[in-house]
Amino acid sequence: MIKKTSTLIIILGVSILHAQKPFLAKDIHQYLKKENPFYYQAIGEQYIAKGREEFYQGSLDTQIRAKYDKKDYPVTTGTYQEVELFKSLGNGIELSMGYRNAYGTQEYNNIKTGKDGEFLSSVKIPLFSVLYDISKNKVDIKTAQMSRIQAEHKSDLNLLKLYFNISKIYYQLLLQKELVQTQEALTHKAHKTREFIIKQVEVGSIPAMMNIEIDQIIIQREKETLYQENNFKIVQNIFLQYLGIDKETFSKQFLLPSLSLKNRPLPPLLSAITTALDNRPDLKIIDFELEKLALKKSYNNITKYPKIDLKISTLYDPINQEGYKLSLNFNMPIENRKYSGMAEVLKKEKLMKKSEKLKLIEELRTNIINLFQKIETKKEAIQLSQQELILVERLESIEIIKIHEGVGNLMFLNQREITVLKVQQKLLKDYYDLLTYYLEFDYLTGKI
């Protein structure tokens, strides 16, 4: 007895381990991983942007430069050795320090050093870049940083769209499953009617022609069931491609729940709009575009001034002691059309981006208002459809009674049953619409 009980417990344990569980909309998240090509396609740009940011940060890397020349010509000889550490700063200042040793006649310069060589250091200062704390390197790095954050927000937006689309297909799959079941139920009704008709024909209560009529109805309904099953399989294939699993694996692990009415409380309209304005990734993307334009404007502003580079170089010779050199480079375009042209471009781009943001905000506000209206209307329509279903089912029951009492008509019964089917399917589609409206609400308010 104990052995049988242990065996039963093991069998039950194995059954529980392999039992199917309902697949819910929230379960979609566990399949949105980097291995999923649809998921990676949605987020991959942020990794490219991250690499691009590191690339531009490389402009501030410390560099080592080395040079060696040795010549032995018939008339002249000489050697030249130099090693230098070079560093650019974000504000445009360039620092360097190194060592060089020159002996004999140099080919491209007249540098001469003592036998022990000399130590060098220099600092190059672009005056207006330092004054306004901006340079091309700084613009490139900050732009790359903002582009990386933009790419992250773009990934969030893509994931919003991806989850919305997959969830909508998921609910469409539940709807198709219910449509198949209602069509099968309709076919089952025809088979039950056929059993009754066969018995009545045998006893001579009704004409034999009704056998042909009911067979024709069954064929029509089986054909429609076939079409509905095909629609279900097509939607299932589309859904499973997003999850990256095959039909057999999914069927072993999961059951599809019923599509039913699900009401969920919504926040007040103004609160929903505020949440959307705070969360929407596309609005954040535009904000960073405006920041990049402001950065470009700051850099463009220094181009209206002359380019003045001050360079101070010092050297130390172990024998001849120290020395220095001061250099000043001045460059200024007379017309300065680069500045004025770019200033106009940046001004217009800023206006465009602001207009784009305002347009998006207004569209978002309108879509949320309309969505609230659609949800309320759909809820009222569902209540009316539920009442209608009760009525048409009562009429169907009356028609069945009339058939059984011998005063009914198969054509009228067929019409009543089809009417019930249409109302059932319309109600299911209303459930589906309401669920997709809730999905759309999450999408518009930036919730995944």
Side-chain angles (χ1 to χ4, degrees):
M1 182 66 183
I2 295 175
K3 186 175 181 181
K4 288 183 178 179
T5 304
S6 300
T7 304
L8 181 60
I9 292 173
I10 292 172
I11 292 172
L12 287 174
V14 173
S15 299
I16 292 172
L17 287 174
H18 293 278
Q20 295 169 302
K21 63 177 182 178
F23 188 95
L24 306 177
K26 63 181 181 180
D27 295 326
I28 293 172
H29 285 292
Q30 66 181 313
Y31 293 94
L32 298 182
K33 301 175 182 178
K34 288 183 180 180
E35 297 77 18
N36 185 323
F38 295 96
Y39 177 79
Y40 196 82
Q41 187 71 23
I43 67 168
E45 183 62 34
Q46 71 184 51
Y47 299 109
I48 298 174
K50 186 175 181 181
R52 190 175 290 117
E53 178 189 1
E54 186 176 3
F55 168 80
Y56 282 108
Q57 287 176 338
S59 61
L60 303 184
D61 288 349
T62 302
Q63 302 177 47
I64 184 169
R65 302 170 179 173
K67 182 177 181 181
Y68 177 79
D69 283 337
K70 179 177 176 61
K71 69 173 182 176
D72 190 3
Y73 293 168
V75 179
T76 61
T77 60
T79 58
Y80 183 86
Q81 305 170 62
E82 181 180 11
V83 62
E84 176 189 26
L85 283 176
F86 179 84
K87 176 75 173 179
S88 291
L89 303 182
N91 58 5
I93 292 178
E94 296 177 357
L95 305 173
S96 72
M97 61 183 299
Y99 168 83
R100 68 183 177 188
N101 191 331
Y103 169 77
T105 303
Q106 303 306 313
E107 194 156 358
Y108 301 110
N109 56 59
N110 61 352
I111 295 173
K112 293 183 179 180
T113 68
K115 64 176 182 177
D116 294 324
E118 58 192 11
F119 296 93
L120 306 168
S121 63
S122 69
V123 55
K124 180 181 176 182
I125 305 172
L127 295 183
F128 284 104
S129 288
V130 173
L131 180 64
Y132 290 99
D133 191 27
I134 196 164
S135 69
K136 184 178 184 305
N137 285 342
K138 190 169 186 177
V139 170
D140 288 342
I141 291 171
K142 284 190 170 292
T143 300
Q145 288 174 342
M146 287 187 279
S147 295
R148 188 254 305 163
I149 299 173
Q150 275 185 297
E152 291 172 358
H153 290 310
K154 181 67 180 298
S155 294
D156 292 338
L157 181 62
N158 290 340
L159 288 179
L160 267 177
K161 294 177 181 177
L162 180 63
Y163 184 72
F164 173 77
N165 291 333
I166 297 176
S167 298
K168 194 171 182 180
I169 294 171
Y170 166 74
Y171 288 124
Q172 188 179 352
L173 182 63
L174 299 189
L175 172 62
Q176 286 301 143
K177 185 196 72 149
E178 299 285 355
L179 295 180
V180 170
Q181 291 176 349
T182 54
Q183 193 65 46
E184 288 175 342
L186 183 66
T187 305
H188 179 69
K189 290 178 181 179
H191 281 287
K192 286 185 65 176
T193 303
R194 184 175 183 275
E195 292 174 2
F196 172 77
I197 289 174
I198 289 174
K199 292 177 182 179
Q200 295 303 307
V201 169
E202 288 176 352
V203 298
S205 299
I206 57 176
M209 184 182 70
M210 290 189 69
N211 273 333
I212 301 175
E213 290 178 347
I214 192 63
D215 285 343
Q216 181 190 9
I217 290 173
I218 289 174
I219 290 174
Q220 290 175 342
R221 294 182 182 183
E222 286 180 344
K223 184 169 64 174
E224 186 59 33
T225 301
L226 187 65
Y227 288 143
Q228 292 289 3
E229 287 174 345
N230 182 61
N231 290 338
F232 170 80
K233 291 175 182 177
I234 290 174
V235 176
Q236 185 182 46
N237 291 338
I238 295 172
F239 177 66
L240 294 180
Q241 77 169 351
Y242 283 105
L243 301 189
I245 61 176
D246 58 75
K247 190 184 303 183
E248 291 74 18
T249 303
F250 183 84
S251 299
K252 288 178 182 178
Q253 296 180 4
F254 301 107
L255 288 172
L256 290 174
S258 299
L259 184 70
S260 57
L261 177 61
K262 289 183 175 65
N263 284 316
R264 54 177 273 194
L266 294 179
L269 178 60
L270 291 178
S271 176
I273 292 174
T274 301
T275 300
L277 297 180
D278 290 339
N279 290 348
R280 286 290 299 189
D282 37 3
L283 290 175
K284 295 176 182 177
I285 290 172
I286 295 176
D287 287 338
F288 276 97
E289 282 295 327
L290 290 170
E291 285 191 36
K292 286 199 288 187
L293 289 174
L295 183 64
K296 291 178 181 178
K297 180 182 178 182
S298 297
Y299 182 64
N300 187 57
N301 284 341
I302 69 170
T303 62
K304 63 184 176 183
Y305 303 114
K307 184 180 179 182
I308 304 175
D309 293 337
L310 175 65
K311 186 174 183 180
I312 303 172
S313 304
T314 64
L315 65 84
Y316 178 77
D317 186 305
I319 297 176
N320 300 315
Q321 302 303 312
E322 67 274 354
Y324 72 91
K325 181 172 75 172
L326 182 65
S327 303
L328 186 67
N329 291 327
F330 179 92
N331 188 347
M332 180 177 179
I334 297 176
E335 292 88 354
N336 217 356
R337 287 179 292 184
K338 279 191 174 183
Y339 163 74
S340 58
M342 182 54 67
E344 185 66 17
V345 169
L346 295 174
K347 180 181 177 182
K348 299 304 182 186
E349 284 187 356
K350 182 179 180 180
L351 287 174
M352 286 288 292
K353 288 299 175 184
K354 283 190 172 182
S355 298
E356 183 183 349
K357 183 177 181 180
L358 290 174
K359 173 176 172 287
L360 184 56
I361 289 173
E362 289 305 315
E363 289 176 345
L364 197 56
R365 194 191 315 273
T366 302
N367 288 338
I368 292 175
I369 292 172
N370 288 342
L371 187 59
F372 268 67
Q373 183 63 43
K374 287 194 291 185
I375 288 173
E376 290 306 312
T377 301
K378 185 59 68 175
K379 286 180 179 179
E380 293 176 10
I382 286 174
Q383 290 180 353
L384 293 174
S385 294
Q386 289 171 335
Q387 296 173 17
E388 183 184 9
L389 181 59
I390 294 172
L391 296 176
V392 296
E393 285 178 338
R394 287 174 59 187
L395 291 172
E396 178 191 40
S397 299
I398 293 171
E399 203 65 48
I400 292 173
I401 293 171
K402 289 169 65 176
I403 285 287
H404 282 261
E405 291 178 349
V407 294
N409 184 294
L410 192 58
M411 181 180 69
F412 289 156
L413 177 60
N414 183 48
Q415 290 176 348
R416 295 295 187 193
E417 290 176 341
I418 290 177
T419 300
V420 170
L421 174 73
K422 289 182 178 178
V423 175
Q424 286 175 334
Q425 293 185 341
K426 177 64 174 65
L427 187 58
L428 288 169
K429 289 176 182 176
D430 284 341
Y431 292 164
Y432 166 78
D433 288 340
L434 186 59
L435 287 168
T436 57
Y437 291 160
Y438 288 135
L439 275 178
E440 188 177 353
F441 175 80
D442 290 339
Y443 171 73
L444 291 177
T445 54
K447 299 176 183 176
I448 298 180

